[in-house]
Amino acid sequence: MNITHILFWILTLMALGSALMVITSKNPVYSVLFLIATFFAISGHYILLNAQFLAIVNLIVYAGAIMVLFLFVIMLMNLNAETEPQKNKWLKFAGTIAGGCLLLIMVAAIKDADAKSTIVLMKQGETGLIHNLGNVLFKDYVVPFEISSVLFLSAMVGAVVLGKKE
């Protein structure tokens, strides 16, 4: 057993433990902090898969920017148990159905992942390199990439409009 396997299992246990703490934690601030720890563990997995660019982007974008924003919003909302609205039983049922659909999608994605994971495990191909990611992003997926940039721009304009004082 080499150091890569040991690091993999340590990062896996860290990711699973902190993800479970995100779900079971009663305090929303602690949930966000555990989610940041989960993102760090996932970035460690990316580094083990020789995808350094994805690891850095995951840390900067998710753990750095989005989670700080979540933490800021949660702290501004001042969530209390008394002010939380009671959930309808139909809403809980719809959430269960949506979670089941997500589980089915995840099982289907994992079923098709065997061929791609053997390429990574055999150290064949250039899976996580920036050059290949740029080629795929700007050749095959250029239209969705541009649509998402317009969506982010409109979200920023909306945030400025909502945040502007009367």
Side-chain angles (χ1 to χ4, degrees):
M1 200 160 174
N2 58 11
I3 191 73
T4 309
H5 288 116
I6 294 170
L7 282 174
F8 172 78
W9 286 110
I10 289 172
L11 289 171
T12 301
L13 290 175
M14 180 181 163
L16 289 175
S18 57
L20 284 174
M21 290 304 293
V22 167
I23 297 170
T24 58
S25 178
K26 299 286 184 191
N27 190 342
V29 175
Y30 291 155
S31 292
V32 169
L33 293 175
F34 282 121
L35 193 55
I36 292 172
T38 305
F39 285 140
F40 273 101
I42 290 171
S43 293
H45 280 106
Y46 284 146
I47 290 172
L48 290 177
L49 289 172
N50 197 23
Q52 292 86 6
F53 177 72
L54 290 177
I56 296 301
V57 167
N58 187 30
L59 284 178
I60 291 171
V61 172
Y62 288 109
I66 293 176
M67 285 297 107
V68 169
L69 182 66
F70 277 7
L71 188 60
F72 186 66
V73 168
I74 286 172
M75 292 173 84
L76 278 178
M77 287 176 62
N78 193 14
L79 298 173
N80 293 330
E82 301 89 41
T83 60
E84 184 177 337
Q86 295 298 320
K87 292 174 182 58
N88 191 344
K89 66 178 179 177
W90 293 106
L91 189 61
K92 290 180 182 179
F93 180 70
T96 305
I97 296 296
C101 292
L102 178 65
L103 179 68
L104 287 174
I105 291 171
M106 294 296 287
V107 167
I110 290 172
K111 184 181 74 166
D112 293 339
D114 289 338
K116 293 177 182 169
S117 66
T118 55
I119 292 172
V120 173
L121 289 176
M122 299 299 289
K123 302 222 183 243
Q124 300 169 350
E126 308 283 324
T127 303
L129 299 181
I130 300 171
H131 174 71
N132 294 331
L133 181 64
N135 280 337
V136 169
L137 189 62
F138 290 115
K139 286 184 182 174
D140 299 337
Y141 296 105
V142 70
V143 173
F145 180 74
E146 292 300 325
I147 290 173
S148 65
S149 66
V150 170
L151 179 67
F152 286 138
L153 179 65
S154 64
M156 286 184 354
V157 169
V160 168
V161 168
L162 288 175
K164 187 175 77 167
K165 296 209 184 237
E166 300 280 333

